[in-house]
Amino acid sequence: MTAVVDRLRTEKTTFSVEFFPPRGDDEERVLWRAIRELEPLDPAFVSVTYGAGGSNRDRTIRTTGRIAQETTLTPMAHLTAVDHSVAELRNVIGWYAASGVQNVLAVRGDPPGDPNGEWCRHPEGLTYAEELVRLVRELGEFCVGVAAFPHGHPRSSDLETDADHLVRKIRAGAGFALAQLFLEPEYFLRLRDRMAARGCDVPLLPGVMPITTPRVLGKFGELAGVPVPAEVSEQLLPLAEDPAGFRAAGVDLVTRLCERLIAEGVPALHFYTLNRSKATRQVVANLGLAAG
């Protein structure tokens, strides 16, 4: 199994994609259609989230294993400490290894039911993501990634403290970091500068999401944990009753964001797909990132 960090060692910017676990058979068919449509473009890796609050973890595990066994893609499993004892975490990690999954994104995770609620550690579990990174690394030859927050983690007191937390996770054994969503590149670039100032030079991948409908625009704010920038709202919301116009403007906006990031030398763009492929394929084509 190829390590994500090896897939990122390319001369030009590449891309990766993220899916969430399907909640039923119909969603599973939609997900696998997207996977098969993106497979020929040869993304650096594909990741499957653990679901909100650690929900749908069984489907996450099964889907990630199936990608490893039935496709040519490099899968990355998400793993959270939510509602898991250390023994349970060891079992999940062992299952990933047995399924041929050697790349893991280790995140502490949000409290079930309320992402902004008070964190409650499992009595026999872990408290911090850096502990989870160490556990994964102790249990095998895993390539481990961690989450990064261009706007700062909601529970961090300031951006400098948040950068300190990120660097600790990396020094615990992580080889790369995936940034949460943003639409203003300066937040991402400043985070990269804060990492560099701390002597941390692992790949930092920006998280981007094609904006195709007003609902997806609202989803951005939910996932990013910050309001949609006023400039973006002013550009897109007047097109809310024009689906084709909204989609074209949203894809163009995200394409221009990605062009700026590529000019700044990012190793890869990480697309949040919402389990659809068309808009991601369109942005990838606009940027000339597709294989071949």
Side-chain angles (χ1 to χ4, degrees):
M1 177 62 64
T2 305
V4 163
V5 290
D6 293 332
R7 294 281 289 163
L8 297 177
R9 294 192 182 106
T10 60
E11 294 184 0
K12 69 172 187 175
T13 300
T14 181
F15 76 100
S16 56
V17 294
E18 181 164 308
F19 303 111
F20 58 80
R23 291 169 294 188
D25 292 343
D26 289 344
E27 286 192 6
E28 188 148 1
R29 283 189 287 272
V30 170
L31 167 62
W32 276 91
R33 185 182 308 122
I35 289 172
R36 293 304 185 186
E37 289 170 344
L38 286 163
E39 187 174 8
L41 304 185
D42 192 30
F45 64 91
V46 299
S47 67
V48 183
T49 72
Y50 227 46
S55 61
N56 295 323
R57 60 178 58 135
D58 290 342
R59 283 186 180 268
T60 298
I61 293 169
R62 186 170 67 251
T63 300
T64 308
R66 186 178 168 191
I67 291 172
Q69 295 163 3
E70 298 182 17
T71 77
T72 61
L73 298 165
T74 297
M76 180 179 72
H78 285 218
L79 183 65
T80 82
V82 175
D83 284 348
H84 271 328
S85 68
V86 171
E88 289 169 337
L89 289 168
R90 287 176 177 272
N91 285 337
V92 173
I93 296 165
W95 193 95
Y96 281 142
S99 300
V101 177
Q102 292 294 321
N103 300 288
V104 175
L105 185 75
V107 297
R108 188 181 74 169
D110 296 322
D114 180 7
N116 298 312
E118 196 66 30
W119 168 258
C120 184
R121 173 183 176 273
H122 185 286
E124 298 172 0
L126 303 175
T127 302
Y128 299 109
E130 63 185 277
E131 297 174 310
L132 188 55
V133 172
R134 291 193 186 95
L135 178 64
V136 175
R137 290 298 303 272
E138 288 169 2
L139 294 177
E141 295 297 319
F142 289 96
C143 175
V144 182
V146 292
F149 300 87
H151 295 278
H153 190 281
R155 294 179 181 82
S156 287
S157 57
D158 57 74
L159 294 177
E160 295 297 330
T161 300
D162 189 67
D164 290 337
H165 289 317
L166 172 57
V167 171
R168 279 201 295 272
K169 291 190 290 187
I170 290 166
R171 290 179 177 157
F176 65 99
L178 292 183
Q180 185 56 278
L181 286 171
F182 60 91
L183 287 171
E184 297 165 295
E186 290 73 21
Y187 284 95
F188 172 85
L189 297 172
R190 290 169 188 159
L191 171 58
R192 192 173 66 173
D193 289 343
R194 290 191 291 275
M195 291 175 62
R198 288 160 173 78
C200 185
D201 62 355
V202 303
L204 174 65
L205 278 57
V208 295
M209 184 170 70
I211 307 297
T212 55
T213 66
R215 179 176 174 273
V216 171
L217 183 62
K219 189 71 173 177
F220 165 87
E222 176 187 332
L223 293 174
V226 295
V228 174
E231 180 181 342
V232 173
S233 295
E234 291 166 4
Q235 180 179 343
L236 296 182
L237 289 184
L239 300 169
E241 302 302 319
D242 176 10
F246 189 104
R247 181 186 183 87
V251 168
D252 179 67
L253 183 150
V254 172
T255 297
R256 285 185 279 111
L257 168 66
C258 292
E259 287 172 341
R260 168 73 188 283
L261 295 168
I262 290 171
E264 294 285 350
V266 300
L269 302 161
H270 187 65
F271 286 96
Y272 291 71
T273 67
L274 299 181
N275 288 14
R276 300 294 193 277
S277 73
K278 184 177 180 180
T280 297
R281 287 186 286 126
Q282 188 172 352
V283 176
V284 166
N286 291 346
L287 298 169
L289 299 182

